[in-house]
Amino acid sequence: MSARVTRATALRVLGQLRRDPRTVALVFVVPPLLLTLFKYVFYGQPETFDRIGGPLVGIFPFVLMFVITSITMLRERTTGTLERLM
């Protein structure tokens, strides 16, 4: 890939993210909020949070990316972008 194609793709993705603040919030805001919530749920039991906190750091982004991908695919199907590319 050339630098021109890479730059054009990056600018397009950043432009789409700028128009979709919900996706940005789901990616950057929700996982830390969920981990903070679990920290306060297990406030009196630090060993329990230490045991489950690590796996949650991996599970939350995985689940959220699944949701974001599903929403994006639905949006692409309803707007017909894939058909225009084909």
Side-chain angles (χ1 to χ4, degrees):
M1 288 182 71
S2 69
R4 186 178 64 83
V5 173
T6 304
R7 183 176 182 275
T9 304
L11 288 175
R12 180 178 173 160
V13 168
L14 290 174
Q16 288 176 342
L17 284 176
R18 186 179 55 220
R19 289 189 302 269
D20 193 10
R22 292 173 296 184
T23 301
V24 175
L26 279 173
V27 171
F28 294 113
V29 176
V30 173
L33 285 177
L34 288 174
L35 284 176
T36 303
L37 176 69
F38 272 99
K39 180 177 166 101
Y40 287 117
V41 166
F42 296 113
Y43 181 70
Q45 309 161 345
E47 64 280 346
T48 305
F49 181 73
D50 290 342
R51 191 176 64 242
I52 67 166
L56 288 178
V57 169
I59 290 172
F60 286 150
F62 176 74
V63 170
L64 288 173
M65 290 313 295
F66 177 77
V67 170
I68 291 168
T69 304
S70 300
I71 293 169
T72 304
M73 281 300 296
L74 179 64
R75 188 179 306 146
E76 292 296 321
R77 293 294 297 154
T78 56
T79 59
T81 306
L82 187 60
E83 286 79 13
R84 286 192 306 248
L85 288 174
M86 298 300 240

